[in-house]
Amino acid sequence: MRGWLGGIRLSGFMAIMMGLVVLAAFVLVPTIGTYLDQRQQITALTQAVEVSQADIAALQLQRDRWKDPAYITTQARERLYYVKPGEVVYLVDNDLAASQVPQDAAPVSSTVEQTRTDWMAQLVRSVTEAGVAQTVKAPTIGILDPSPAPSG
């Protein structure tokens, strides 16, 4: 082992070149990290734009439907029960069979029940947990978080 290390000679040029390599590594590593973060943000924003464009297309389709007088008439009849002059409207009440009517899960009790909890201990626990909670960075709207922070 000693013979192997003794065979290595370190010249001034070699030391300068190794120093430049180390310096380049220290300069480039944060730059590469920043580049990768920006690429992730660009991808997230591109996805957000695609979702927004899909929403815009859906809203434009709905706007175009509302320009149609027949659609407006249909919506007024269904939603607001509007009728044309001279028409007679019949509203059917209780048109479901007894088996289709929603049933209550359990009868409602007329007595008031008291729960046994230690509210003071819960208050102290809540305050202390809020005091030691870690602060969270403000959410950025439209940017998906690729690596959510561990909770707890």
Side-chain angles (χ1 to χ4, degrees):
M1 180 86 161
R2 204 168 187 133
W4 180 77
L5 285 176
I8 296 177
R9 295 188 180 207
L10 189 62
S11 66
F13 177 74
M14 189 79 143
I16 291 173
M17 292 308 289
M18 287 181 66
L20 287 176
V21 167
V22 170
L23 180 64
F26 278 121
V27 169
L28 290 179
V29 167
T31 306
I32 292 172
T34 303
Y35 172 75
L36 293 176
D37 288 342
Q38 289 176 349
R39 293 303 304 169
Q40 288 176 347
Q41 289 178 352
I42 289 171
T43 303
L45 289 173
T46 304
Q47 290 174 351
V49 166
E50 289 173 0
V51 168
S52 297
Q53 287 176 343
D55 290 343
I56 288 171
L59 289 172
Q60 286 175 341
L61 181 65
Q62 185 177 2
R63 182 192 64 194
D64 293 341
R65 270 191 274 157
W66 280 101
K67 288 180 179 178
D68 183 18
Y71 182 76
I72 294 173
T73 304
T74 304
Q75 292 300 314
R77 286 175 172 265
E78 289 178 0
R79 293 183 184 183
L80 305 173
Y81 302 112
Y82 280 12
V83 294
K84 292 183 178 180
E87 289 182 340
V88 178
V89 178
Y90 296 99
L91 292 178
V92 179
D93 194 17
N94 295 331
D95 61 338
L96 297 176
S99 62
Q100 294 176 338
V101 174
Q103 301 294 322
D104 290 333
V108 177
S109 173
S110 62
T111 61
V112 176
E113 297 181 11
Q114 183 176 2
T115 57
R116 299 186 188 272
T117 58
D118 187 10
W119 66 270
M120 182 58 87
Q122 289 179 347
L123 176 68
V124 170
R125 188 178 320 118
S126 175
V127 169
T128 56
E129 286 178 3
V132 298
Q134 304 224 352
T135 58
V136 181
K137 67 178 183 177
T140 22
I141 298 174
I143 298 177
L144 302 174
D145 190 6
S147 57
S151 60

